[in-house]
Amino acid sequence: MRRGTNPIIFHAAPPAAVVAAVSAALAAVPAAAAPHAEAAPEAATFRPARAGALTISAPAAVSMGSTTPGGHLAVQMGTVTVTDTREPGAGPWTVTVSSTDYSRTTAPVVTISRSNMTYWSGPATATQGGGNFIPGQPTAAQQVSLSVPRTAFSRTTQNGVNNCSWIPTLNVSVPFAGVTTGVYRGVITHSVA
């Protein structure tokens, strides 16, 4: 392997799991007051609470390694998991992935644009429960730039408790000019709704 004299080290550090909780309170519609003593009372109508939550977990930190200006790095991020315990009738969900720019952690501050980072979800590594689990980018050929938020994974059907895991791959292309030796950090965020 050829080494350059000015390595650039990247650390993509996502925050702790992004959690979207969905719940609804138990609602009761009281029976209408009977206008006459002999009239039959109306039945009460209840809407059961939607128990459970829709949550996501992702790796706390990822080190991408080092390369020289003009180089390229690729790393698997680690397992991302969505768990949907909403009942009754856990519904569809979509995971969105986004990125910040990558900045040198010491002076002088140098920034590498998030558009230099690409992402592909790959297929599901584990699923539980019914429904259609759809990867945003099933293969490396379908990787997308993180210049804007992207769909990482989704579930399109509504039927019961479920979970889905995948191991996304991050790729960064380091610009040839305008970068200096140092550690560059950015944040990859997965959110589910």
Side-chain angles (χ1 to χ4, degrees):
M1 180 166 78
R2 202 169 127 184
R3 292 182 178 245
T5 56
N6 295 324
I8 298 172
I9 301 169
F10 282 84
H11 296 279
V18 179
V19 178
V22 179
S23 61
L26 179 64
V29 178
H36 305 290
E38 59 274 357
E42 293 182 29
T45 302
F46 294 93
R47 179 178 294 143
R50 190 165 193 176
L54 177 61
T55 61
I56 188 166
S57 63
V62 176
S63 175
M64 294 195 72
S66 62
T67 190
T68 56
H72 176 82
L73 295 168
V75 66
Q76 285 193 314
M77 203 175 158
T79 302
V80 178
T81 301
V82 172
T83 303
D84 189 354
T85 60
R86 298 171 295 171
E87 280 290 355
W93 48 256
T94 299
V95 173
T96 302
V97 60
S98 61
S99 177
T100 64
D101 289 332
Y102 295 81
S103 297
R104 190 169 185 262
T105 58
T106 57
V109 175
V110 178
T111 300
I112 296 174
S113 171
R114 63 181 168 253
S115 64
N116 289 62
M117 183 69 73
T118 63
Y119 176 100
W120 66 284
S121 62
T125 56
T127 61
Q128 186 176 27
N132 298 321
F133 299 96
I134 302 168
Q137 306 78 32
T139 68
Q142 295 163 317
Q143 64 188 306
V144 291
S145 166
L146 290 180
S147 57
V148 296
R150 304 290 187 169
T151 297
F153 234 93
S154 61
R155 179 174 179 264
T156 59
T157 53
Q158 180 170 339
N159 60 348
V161 172
N162 64 89
N163 62 51
C164 178
S165 297
W166 66 96
I167 301 174
T169 300
L170 298 173
N171 294 281
V172 65
S173 295
V174 179
F176 188 75
V179 293
T180 58
T181 301
V183 175
Y184 288 75
R185 291 183 191 268
V187 177
I188 303 286
T189 302
H190 287 85
S191 56
V192 65

